[in-house]
Amino acid sequence: MALDERAFFTEKPETRPSRHQCPRCKRTHEYSVRWVRRTKKDRLPGGADEVDRAKFAKLRDYLLRVEDEVTCKECGKRFEIPSQQSLVFVDQMAGLPNDEDLEREIAAAAGEPYEAPAPAAEAKPAIPARFLRKSTGWK
């Protein structure tokens, strides 16, 4: 009898940051998304037959996304995370460029000089004029 796939892996919960855009308010934010890291065991479990041995030889470590929805930090509406990112192989993740390297390569390919984005300081909104008037006549 064939073994269940979970017998070949050890599971560990993990939280990873990811950037998503809310479809309602169109604002992009960083969200913490829950994943399960499945790491291949170092040896085959007992009771495995030849079919299980062949499967075990081909297995790789991977991340499986647990959450399908996040809540927007601006408008509070829940929206679905794009489904093309629900399973990620760990060995493929190691070679991915970060966002800054990717922007630098795009600017180089377009023949434009790359300018690193300055950290945006949060601008405070202007105080309305009605709050700046003198309080004459108050008792």
Side-chain angles (χ1 to χ4, degrees):
M1 184 168 123
L3 291 173
D4 186 37
E5 181 184 343
R6 285 187 243 155
F8 301 123
F9 293 101
T10 55
E11 293 184 359
K12 187 174 110 180
E14 188 173 306
T15 304
R16 301 180 66 82
S18 62
R19 296 184 65 80
H20 298 290
Q21 183 181 24
C22 175
R24 182 176 183 193
C25 66
K26 306 292 187 215
R27 295 206 174 120
T28 303
H29 287 287
E30 193 85 19
Y31 297 97
S32 294
V33 179
R34 291 184 306 135
W35 295 76
V36 172
R37 180 182 289 262
R38 288 192 174 161
T39 308
K40 182 178 166 182
K41 290 184 177 178
D42 56 345
R43 64 185 139 197
L44 198 62
D49 57 3
E50 290 302 318
V51 174
D52 293 332
R53 289 188 213 301
K55 274 187 197 174
F56 187 76
K58 295 178 184 177
L59 293 177
R60 301 188 292 179
D61 298 348
Y62 64 95
L63 290 168
L64 184 65
R65 192 179 68 218
V66 176
E67 291 182 324
D68 290 333
E69 293 182 337
V70 291
T71 304
C72 179
K73 294 180 180 179
E74 292 290 325
C75 65
K77 181 179 170 150
R78 289 188 63 78
F79 63 92
E80 191 172 320
I81 299 172
S83 62
Q84 73 259 18
Q85 305 163 352
S86 62
L87 183 123
V88 178
F89 288 106
V90 175
D91 57 353
Q92 291 177 342
M93 228 171 48
L96 293 177
N98 60 22
D99 290 337
E100 189 174 330
D101 291 342
L102 194 58
E103 292 295 326
R104 188 178 301 120
E105 288 179 23
I106 291 171
E112 301 170 355
Y114 174 72
E115 296 175 10
E122 290 188 32
K124 293 183 179 179
I127 299 173
R130 68 176 186 264
F131 295 115
L132 297 176
R133 282 187 244 145
K134 285 194 159 197
S135 59
T136 57
W138 288 23
K139 291 186 182 183

